[in-house]
Amino acid sequence: MSGPPLSHVTRLMFDGTEVREIMKAIRVHEFGGPEVLRQEEVPTPQPGSGQVLVRMHAIGVNPVETYIRAGTYANKPDLPYTPGNDGAGVIEQVGSDVNEFKPGDRVYTAGSISGTYVEFALCRAEQVHRLPANASFAQGAAMGTPYATAYRGLFQRARARPGETVLVHGASGGVGTAAVQLARSHGMRVFGTAGSDEGRRLARDQGAHEVFDHRAPNQFQQIMMATGGRGVDVIVELLANVNLGKDLTILAKGGRVAIIGSRGRVEIDPRDTMQRDVDLRGMVMPNTPPEELASIHAALVAGLENGTLRPVIVKEFPLAEAAEAHRSVMEPGAFGKIVLMPGKVERMN
Ligand code: NAP
C-alpha cells in the first residue's frame, strides 16, 4: 500500500487549521473481558451545530465502563461502540452556533457523543467545561464522573451542611477522595475509610479528620465512638452491598445515606431507619436534571480554580492499553484516579 500511514492523513480547514481525518479510538465489537477493548483507526468526527471537537490529552477510566464493557450494566450501548464519559484536552474545532468555546481552549468533558477513549472526542457544547490553568489534563479527566458524583451525592442528594459529620465509606478511590475534599472544604467534620494503610494516609492527606479501616470488623463501633455516641449525619456510601445494614446503626437522628456504589444485594433492618428518621437516597448520575448538572460543574470549576479540589492521579496508561487500565480499575487498593493518556507511547513487549 502506498501513501502516508492512515493516522497522518490531514484535512486543511477554512481557518487554516489542519485536522486529522483518521484518529485512534478504542472500539468494542462484543461484550466481554478487558481484551475486547481494541485500538482501531476510525474517521475523525466533524462537529455539527452546537457541537465541539476536543483533542483529548487525558481520559478518565471509571468502574462503570467495565460493567458496560462486560455487558452486565442495565443500559447497554449498541455494538460496536467507543467507551468513555470523561476526559480533558483542548478544543480543536467548534461547530456553528457555538460561541462559548474557541479552538485552543482548555476544557474537560462530562459526557460525549462519540465516547471519550479517543484522540478526538465529539461533544455537545454543554458537555464541556472550562479547565482552569492550574489543573492538569489528567486532573480534568477526574471531573466528569468522580467529582460530579461526589458533589451530587454529598450536596444535592444527602444535603450535607457545614458543621455536620460526614463519613465517606470508601475514601481512597476516585469518588471517595473527591467527596473528602468537597466535604472538608465546605466545613464538615470528615471521616474516611480505606482498606490499606496507604489508602488511609491518602484519605487523611485529602482532608479526612479521622480515618478507619473498612476491613476491620469493629469499624462501626470505632466510628460511633469517634462521634461520642451521637452518630454521623451523612454517609457517602461507595459499597452499599457490604455496608448499608451496619451504616444504619451509626447514623445520628435525621441522618442521610447517599448510596453511590453497590455491587450486589444487602439485608437491612427497616427499624434502624425508623428509630432515627433516616433517609436512604440512591443516585445515578444520568438521572441528574440539566440545571442541577450545570450547577455541579459551576461549583467544580470554581473548586479547581481556588485549589480546594485537587484530583489525585494514581496511574497513567497509553490509550492502546485501555484493557490494562480496565483490569487496574477493578483491583482492590485504589489510590485515586486512573487515566489514559493518548499522547503517551505504549510499552514495547
Ligand atoms: P474506585 O476508584 O475503584 O474506588 C473504589 C473504592 O471502594 C475504594 O476507595 C475502595 O477502598 C472502596 N472499598 C473497597 N471495599 C470497601 C468496603 N468494604 N467498604 C467501603 N468502601 C470500600 O472507584 P470509584 O470511581 O471511586 O467508584 C466507587 C463506586 O461508586 C463504584 O462501584 C462505582 O461503580 C460507583 N459509582 C457510582 C456512580 C453513580 O452515579 N451512582 C458514579 C460513579 C461511581 P480500598 O481500595 O482502600 O479498599
Side-chain angles (χ1 to χ4, degrees):
M1 206 171 79
S2 62
L6 278 177
S7 57
H8 294 150
V9 177
T10 57
R11 178 178 48 232
L12 197 60
M13 302 306 292
F14 65 90
D15 60 359
T17 56
E18 273 190 355
V19 172
R20 275 200 270 153
E21 291 202 331
I22 298 292
M23 67 168 185
K24 295 195 172 90
I26 300 297
R27 301 285 287 161
V28 174
H29 291 268
E30 57 184 325
F31 297 115
E35 67 284 355
V36 302
L37 298 169
R38 296 212 191 93
Q39 182 171 284
E40 293 177 4
E41 297 204 316
V42 300
T44 305
Q46 278 293 295
S49 170
Q51 299 174 348
V52 299
L53 189 68
V54 182
R55 179 187 287 260
M56 303 299 269
H57 287 256
I59 298 151
V61 176
N62 296 291
V64 68
E65 290 139 27
T66 73
Y67 321 148
I68 296 170
R69 183 215 69 225
T72 56
Y73 197 62
N75 297 323
K76 286 195 252 313
D78 292 336
L79 292 168
Y81 77 97
T82 295
N85 186 74
D86 300 354
V90 170
I91 297 280
E92 181 80 8
Q93 268 183 276
V94 298
S96 58
D97 298 335
V98 175
N99 301 313
E100 55 279 47
F101 297 108
K102 60 180 185 323
D105 286 351
R106 286 163 53 87
V107 294
Y108 72 84
T109 70
S112 74
I113 298 164
S114 60
T116 60
Y117 289 21
V118 291
E119 288 185 288
F120 296 91
L122 184 68
C123 302
R124 296 197 307 276
E126 64 273 19
Q127 293 173 316
V128 166
H129 306 277
R130 199 167 49 80
L131 181 66
N134 59 336
S136 68
F137 291 118
Q139 289 180 314
M143 290 289 122
T145 300
Y147 274 74
T149 300
Y151 190 96
R152 178 150 178 82
L154 198 55
F155 298 114
Q156 295 181 340
R157 299 295 292 142
R159 303 259 170 221
R161 294 182 293 269
E164 290 193 315
T165 301
V166 172
L167 168 66
V168 180
H169 219 162
S172 50
V175 180
T177 49
V180 168
Q181 291 174 5
L182 284 163
R184 179 67 190 253
S185 63
H186 283 77
M188 291 153 204
R189 181 159 178 74
V190 186
F191 295 172
T193 72
S196 66
D197 286 340
E198 197 179 342
R200 287 185 286 281
R201 202 172 312 121
L202 177 68
R204 205 182 270 287
D205 288 348
Q206 300 320 307
H209 294 93
E210 308 253 4
V211 292
F212 304 88
D213 180 358
H214 52 223
R215 301 197 203 290
N218 65 347
Q219 57 164 313
F220 294 94
Q221 289 96 307
Q222 287 178 4
I223 292 165
M224 200 61 174
M225 268 170 58
T227 67
R230 177 185 171 274
V232 298
D233 299 295
V234 167
I235 299 179
V236 174
E237 184 50 75
L238 281 313
L239 200 57
N241 56 303
V242 173
N243 297 317
L244 190 61
K246 290 272 179 56
D247 282 348
L248 301 180
T249 67
I250 59 163
L251 284 163
K253 276 214 178 100
R256 289 89 69 202
V257 186
I259 304 174
I260 293 179
S262 188
R263 292 180 178 166
R265 299 172 71 86
V266 63
E267 191 175 299
I268 66 164
D269 182 346
R271 274 184 183 276
D272 290 329
T273 67
M274 295 153 64
Q275 279 160 0
R276 296 175 178 79
D277 277 16
V278 155
D279 282 333
L280 302 184
R281 300 187 179 171
M283 59 161 280
V284 288
M285 278 310 288
N287 288 345
T288 310
E291 65 280 7
E292 292 182 33
L293 199 57
S295 148
I296 291 172
H297 287 290
L300 296 183
V301 171
L304 281 175
E305 218 159 35
N306 68 26
T308 53
L309 303 184
R310 308 161 308 277
V312 178
I313 309 305
V314 59
K315 278 188 202 152
E316 294 179 357
F317 292 89
L319 181 62
E321 292 178 20
E324 204 42 52
H326 269 214
R327 286 187 195 100
S328 192
V329 80
M330 293 308 282
E331 279 167 7
F335 306 114
K337 182 79 217 155
I338 291 174
V339 292
L340 298 169
M341 306 291 281
K344 200 175 165 113
V345 180
E346 53 251 54
R347 283 183 307 232
M348 303 300 284
N349 288 318

